[in-house]
Amino acid sequence: MPSSYQAPTRGDQAKKTTHSQSAESNISHDTATVQQLISRKGDTVFTISPKDTLSTAVKVLRDRRIGALLVADGTGALQGILSERDIVRKLAETPGQTLPQTVGENMTSKVETCAPSEPLVSVLKRMNQGRFRHMPVVEDGQLCGILTIGDVVNYRLNELEYEALQLKQMIVG
């Protein structure tokens, strides 16, 4: 004869329970950092001189299939950033006269940067709040990479897929 269901009682051995994510678990010591993403993505950074023309910048953006160039002086120090958005805005302001202009005249000089130790969650928040898509990674005054909002979102999606797989294995296993 099959046994019937009996509800658990206080004397039964407690099973491990799970809890949905909280602010504490989302910002735990295991939070992904910029360095983790850079180590996967690579630290290649494409730079251009402030003296170069927008015509040169457009060709580099096209050839490299990227959306922004970091502007650096002869010593490699970050001077600004030039994005596709900057160029499009200038094209609208000065039609037919834009491409001969210099990068230095059209770059964004005030550049938000992040450190390799910074949590990706804070970088994503800053990018979202500032409405920009590219962030240089700087350590001790030196460029050591660049993140795009797509890089950060893709990294997080991969983490979520891995977490879902782990949960599924725990439930099935």
Side-chain angles (χ1 to χ4, degrees), residues 2-61:
S3 64
S4 62
Y5 172 76
Q6 182 177 359
T9 62
R10 286 185 186 208
D12 291 343
Q13 191 176 32
K15 294 182 180 178
K16 289 184 181 178
T17 59
T18 61
H19 304 280
S20 61
Q21 288 186 324
S22 64
E24 293 79 26
S25 68
N26 283 336
I27 307 175
S28 69
H29 59 67
D30 294 319
T31 300
T33 63
V34 169
Q35 182 58 50
Q36 289 169 310
L37 193 150
I38 290 293
S39 65
R40 284 188 189 176
K41 173 189 175 180
D43 58 0
T44 303
V45 177
F46 296 105
T47 61
I48 194 164
S49 166
K51 295 177 183 175
D52 284 327
T53 64
L54 289 183
S55 179
T56 302
V58 167
K59 290 174 186 167
V60 174
L61 291 169

Side-chain angles (χ1 to χ4, degrees), residues 40-117:
R40 284 188 189 176
K41 173 189 175 180
D43 58 0
T44 303
V45 177
F46 296 105
T47 61
I48 194 164
S49 166
K51 295 177 183 175
D52 284 327
T53 64
L54 289 183
S55 179
T56 302
V58 167
K59 290 174 186 167
V60 174
L61 291 169
R62 178 199 63 204
D63 294 346
R64 297 291 184 182
R65 300 181 64 140
I66 55 176
L69 288 165
L70 297 181
V71 183
D73 64 14
T75 66
L78 183 65
Q79 301 293 305
I81 189 167
L82 181 72
S83 69
E84 294 168 322
R85 186 181 290 174
D86 296 325
I87 296 168
V88 168
R89 286 183 179 147
K90 189 50 91 169
L91 283 167
E93 291 172 10
T94 58
Q97 304 165 11
T98 305
L99 295 179
Q101 296 178 31
T102 67
V103 168
E105 295 173 286
N106 296 284
M107 67 183 184
T108 301
S109 299
K110 187 177 176 189
V111 183
E112 290 264 347
T113 64
C114 62
S117 60

Side-chain angles (χ1 to χ4, degrees), residues 131-148:
R131 300 185 57 83
F132 54 89
R133 297 173 294 180
H134 301 86
M135 185 180 283
V137 182
V138 178
E139 185 172 37
D140 298 327
Q142 296 295 315
L143 284 171
C144 56
I146 186 167
L147 298 181
T148 68

